């Protein structure tokens, strides 16, 4: 029996028995919110290969179970695999490492198909982000056996180890480069130093540099890495000292060197120092680039100096790029100058042959939603959906979801947005989106739907906040959903 989305709440009111209501909510919410599934009412003949495969991946399953489900399914066996298809699948499950690994293992088991180094790298990154470091290391060894390890692979692995606080393992990987068929040279050294500095381990990076510099001479990029690192840990005096060290090795500080320190002062809201360094750069013959100006403008906006930020374009002596225009649109939005912001997208960017990206549209959507101009926001959504250059991402939909919940439009409109996200654009909800929806649905007296989303979140190994659990628990208790309350309490004990 088919129940169209628009009839859901009309039909819901007819359901008097709690079991029937629970069953219907499960059917409705599972297929319209669960990113693993397609609606059972869609014509399977019209599904793309990626839609079919996604629909066969069970939610919350182990990677071994995902593999078995795909391996036994006759429809999946009939699909011709390509590297593009597998890449898209891994991207689809980038926040669900179990499903991603199951898909990865199933794909490699298919006759005539072999993973590329790039696909292995994507899997390494997914495991690293999920902090499944033992599994990631095992995959590195597997790649090594096939001769597929590249410097990009090593960079991803070192970054994930260092990000998990295991910077010693990042250094060990560097020490083991020969076992992966790679060399310790300037490029690989800079990758390691960059990894350590970006994770705040600048002093450890200096130790590595001092140990290696005698047989791996540095270049200008090496010193820029340290300048960035020192600024990251808020030790700007060391960054300024590195400028002098750089000159001692025969390298002149460049736009990147100065811009990094300017960015530090921007974060400190020390704009007198910012303008001082901008003047110094120009005096030494280095014109600040578009990245520098974008940084300054964004920082001024964050410091509530919006009008001062809007003067930055007048100071520029370089061509704007997409990121600069995105920052300008955001600044205009903060100033309440919506027509000018839209003029940037419609007129200024085309006049300079600058293509918008997803963030361009996202800024406009967020701006309109923030001001309660929903129709204009949805008009921009249609533009990005029809764009040949870029596609919506989760941040595109986030303010729209928030706007629906805030205005109480939790019937057809919210359902339609979630359906678009999962089925048309293959977007997976993250922790923030789940929190937004669960809180909003609870406030809208739709805790059954909120509870199903909560279960889906847990199934993805995402940890909800205690506040979210508390709110949902209070709501389900009021609806006499005792089994749900017991499960939520069990989760709360583990947080």
């Amino acid at each position: 029996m088919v129940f169209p989305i628009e009839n859901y709440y009309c039909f819901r009111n007819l359901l008097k028995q709690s079991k029937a209501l629970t069953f219907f909510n499960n059917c409705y919410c599972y297929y319209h919110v669960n990113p693993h599934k397609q609606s059972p009412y869609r014509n399977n003949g019209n599904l793309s290969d990626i839609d079919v495969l996604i629909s066969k991946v069970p939610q919350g399953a182990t990677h071994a179970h995902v593999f078995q489900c795909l391996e036994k399914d006759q429809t999946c066996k009939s699909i011709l695999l390509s590297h593009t298809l597998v890449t898209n699948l891994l991207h689809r499950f980038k926040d669900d490492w179990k499903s991603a690994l199951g898909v990865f293992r199933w794909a490699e088991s298919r006759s005539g198909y072999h993973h590329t180094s790039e696909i292995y790298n994507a899997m390494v990154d997914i495991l690293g982000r999920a902090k499944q470091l033992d599994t990631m290391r095992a995959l590195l060894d597997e790649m090594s056996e096939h001769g597929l390890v590249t410097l990009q692979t090593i960079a991803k692995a070192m970054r994930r180890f260092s990000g998990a606080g295991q910077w010693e393992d990042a250094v060990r990987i560097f020490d083991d480069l020969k076992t992966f068929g790679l060399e310790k040279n300037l490029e690989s050294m800079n990758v390691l130093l960059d990894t350590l500095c970006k994770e705040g381990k600048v002093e450890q990076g200096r130790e590595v540099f001092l140990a290696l510099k005698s047989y791996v001479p540095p270049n200008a990029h090496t010193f820029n890495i340290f300048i960035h690192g020192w600024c990251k840990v808020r030790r700007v005096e060391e960054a300024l000292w590195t400028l002098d060290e750089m000159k001692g090795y025969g390298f002149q500080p460049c736009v990147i060197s100065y811009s990094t320190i300017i960015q530090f002062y921007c974060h400190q809201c020390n704009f007198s120092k910012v303008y001082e360094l901008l003047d110094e750069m120009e005096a030494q013959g280095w014109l600040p680039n578009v990245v520098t100006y974008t940084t300054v403008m964004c920082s001024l906006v964050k410091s509530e100096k919006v009008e001062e930020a809007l003067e930055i374009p007048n100071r520029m002596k370089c061509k704007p790029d997409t990121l600069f225009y995105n920052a300008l649109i955001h600044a205009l939005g903060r100033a309440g100058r919506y027509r000018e912001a839209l003029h940037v997208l419609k007129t200024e960017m085309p006049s300079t042959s600058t293509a918008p990206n997803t963030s361009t549209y996202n800024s406009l959507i967020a701006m309109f939603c923030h001001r309660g101009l929903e129709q204009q926001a949805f008009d921009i959504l249609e533009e990005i959906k029809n764009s040949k250059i870029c596609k919506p991402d989760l941040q595109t939909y986030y303010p729209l979801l928030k706007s629906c919940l805030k205005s109480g439009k939790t019937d057809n409109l919210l359902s339609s947005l979630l359906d678009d996200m999962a089925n048309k654009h293959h977007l997976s909800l993250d922790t923030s989106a789940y929190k937004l929806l669960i809180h909003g649905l609870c406030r809208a007296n739709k805790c059954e739907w909120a509870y199903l989303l909560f279960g889906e979140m847990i199934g993805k190994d995402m940890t909800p906040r205690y506040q979210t659990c508390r709110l949902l628990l209070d709501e389900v208790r009021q609806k006499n959903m005792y089994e749900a309350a017991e499960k939520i309490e069990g989760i709360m004990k583990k947080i």
Side-chain angles (χ1 to χ4, degrees):
M1 188 174 183
V2 177
F3 299 101
I5 292 176
E6 58 269 26
N7 294 338
Y8 167 68
Y9 287 100
C10 294
F11 177 77
R12 185 181 186 278
N13 292 331
L14 298 176
L15 297 175
K16 302 298 184 182
Q17 297 182 8
S18 60
K19 289 185 179 179
L21 178 58
T22 301
F23 171 77
F24 185 77
N25 275 326
N26 269 287
C27 289
Y28 176 79
C29 294
Y30 185 62
Y31 287 103
H32 287 275
V33 182
N34 182 0
H36 287 64
K37 294 293 179 184
Q38 297 289 334
S39 168
Y41 309 131
R42 289 183 63 182
N43 180 357
N44 284 340
N46 294 328
L47 294 179
S48 65
D49 287 345
I50 191 170
D51 285 335
V52 171
L53 290 170
I54 289 170
S55 73
K56 302 296 182 180
V57 176
Q59 179 193 4
T62 65
H63 64 85
H65 184 50
V66 170
F67 171 85
Q68 291 170 1
C69 289
L70 295 174
E71 199 271 335
K72 292 177 181 178
D73 192 277
Q74 293 301 316
T75 305
C76 294
K77 289 181 179 180
S78 68
I79 293 175
L80 181 64
L81 285 186
S82 67
H83 293 134
T84 300
L85 177 57
V86 175
T87 298
N88 289 337
L89 279 169
L90 292 181
H91 178 73
R92 176 65 182 76
F93 293 114
K94 66 183 187 299
D95 297 317
D96 181 359
W97 74 270
K98 294 178 184 177
S99 295
L101 186 57
V103 168
F104 180 86
R105 291 306 184 195
W106 168 76
E108 73 178 0
S109 73
R110 293 287 301 276
S111 177
Y113 174 86
H114 301 284
H115 288 315
T116 62
S117 178
E118 290 75 18
I119 289 174
Y120 264 107
N121 287 349
M123 193 66 240
V124 165
D125 206 38
I126 290 170
L127 292 170
R129 287 173 59 212
K131 292 185 169 47
Q132 301 298 314
L133 301 181
D134 291 339
T135 307
M136 183 187 76
R137 179 66 204 224
L139 196 64
L140 283 176
D141 294 336
E142 182 181 316
M143 290 179 70
S144 183
E145 292 175 5
H146 297 296
L148 294 174
V149 177
T150 65
L151 192 58
Q152 183 184 18
T153 315
I154 295 301
K156 288 179 181 293
M158 289 195 300
R159 182 72 186 273
R160 295 308 174 190
F161 274 123
S162 189
Q166 300 181 22
W167 65 270
E168 297 94 339
D169 288 313
V171 176
R172 287 192 192 99
I173 287 181
F174 178 79
D175 289 337
D176 294 340
L177 280 180
K178 286 188 177 180
T179 66
F180 295 117
L182 300 172
E183 295 181 2
K184 291 182 182 179
N185 54 25
L186 177 60
E187 186 179 10
S188 57
M189 180 187 74
N190 281 349
V191 167
L192 175 60
L193 296 179
D194 187 59
T195 297
L196 294 172
C197 288
K198 283 181 177 177
E199 295 301 331
K201 304 296 181 183
V202 192
E203 292 184 354
Q204 289 84 350
R206 284 291 299 181
E207 291 177 10
V208 171
F209 169 69
L210 293 174
L212 293 175
K213 70 175 185 177
S214 59
Y215 60 95
V216 182
N219 61 4
H221 180 51
T222 309
F223 294 103
N224 284 333
I225 288 171
F226 280 117
I227 291 171
H228 179 271
W230 289 125
C231 287
K232 184 178 177 65
V233 296
R234 300 182 179 184
R235 292 167 63 174
V236 71
E237 293 302 323
E238 280 87 345
L240 294 170
W241 178 85
T242 303
L243 284 177
D244 293 332
E245 183 185 28
M246 188 176 186
K247 296 173 184 176
Y249 275 83
F251 302 108
Q252 285 300 313
C254 61
V255 173
I256 295 174
S257 314
Y258 284 109
S259 294
T260 302
I261 300 175
I262 286 173
Q263 184 177 36
F264 169 82
Y265 285 127
C266 282
H267 289 162
Q268 299 294 310
C269 299
N270 190 343
F271 294 107
S272 61
K273 280 286 187 181
V274 168
Y275 293 125
E276 182 181 317
L277 276 176
L278 287 174
D279 292 338
E280 183 179 326
M281 286 178 69
E282 293 179 4
Q284 294 189 11
W286 292 106
L287 288 179
N289 62 18
V290 67
V291 176
T292 310
Y293 285 118
T294 302
T295 299
V296 175
M297 183 161 60
C298 287
S299 299
L300 286 167
V301 171
K302 287 180 181 178
S303 301
E304 304 296 333
K305 298 177 181 291
V306 179
E307 294 303 324
E308 189 174 339
L310 291 173
E311 292 297 320
I312 292 296
N314 298 326
R315 178 168 180 155
M316 281 181 61
K317 298 177 182 177
C318 54
K319 180 184 175 182
D321 63 3
T322 302
L323 296 181
F324 179 84
Y325 278 124
N326 290 352
L328 179 58
I329 287 171
H330 177 65
L332 289 167
R334 290 288 296 273
R337 293 154 67 170
Y338 318 124
R339 291 179 182 175
E340 292 177 56
L342 203 55
H343 178 78
V344 171
L345 173 67
K346 302 287 188 180
T347 305
E348 288 192 35
M349 295 181 75
S351 71
T352 57
S353 300
T354 306
N357 62 11
T358 300
S359 293
T360 313
Y361 292 104
N362 289 356
S363 293
L364 287 164
I365 289 173
M367 175 187 74
F368 286 129
C369 284
H370 180 70
R371 298 293 178 175
L373 302 172
E374 291 184 6
Q375 186 55 55
Q376 289 90 329
F378 278 97
D379 289 344
I380 298 296
L381 176 63
E382 287 304 310
E383 283 195 37
I384 187 174
K385 286 166 68 174
N386 296 325
S387 173
K388 295 180 180 179
I389 301 173
C390 53
K391 294 299 176 186
D393 61 12
L394 186 58
Q395 292 306 312
T396 308
Y397 283 94
Y398 194 89
L400 294 166
L401 295 173
K402 187 175 182 179
S403 181
C404 285
L405 293 166
K406 184 178 180 180
S407 61
K409 297 177 181 178
T410 55
D411 294 350
N412 298 344
L413 188 55
L414 181 61
S415 301
S416 177
L417 286 173
L418 291 171
D419 186 64
D420 274 357
M421 293 170 67
N423 297 332
K424 290 185 180 179
H425 303 294
H426 310 300
L427 298 172
S428 181
L429 300 177
D430 62 9
T431 304
S432 296
Y434 276 116
K435 177 189 174 184
L436 172 71
L437 287 166
I438 292 169
H439 283 236
L441 289 169
C442 283
R443 286 192 294 268
N445 198 31
K446 293 180 174 64
C447 68
E448 298 93 346
W449 192 354
Y451 176 64
L452 287 170
L453 283 166
F454 180 81
E456 183 180 309
M457 183 182 183
I458 299 301
K460 290 183 179 180
D461 283 344
M462 294 182 181
T463 303
R465 293 189 177 182
Y466 187 87
Q467 179 189 11
T468 302
C469 297
R470 183 76 258 174
L471 174 63
L472 185 57
L473 180 61
D474 291 341
E475 292 295 322
V476 299
R477 280 176 173 169
Q478 290 180 25
K479 293 290 183 68
N480 298 323
M481 297 169 62
Y482 302 116
E483 184 178 347
E486 185 178 345
K487 290 182 179 179
I488 295 170
E489 287 175 331
I491 296 296
M492 293 173 71
K493 291 177 181 177
K494 299 176 183 178
I495 296 178

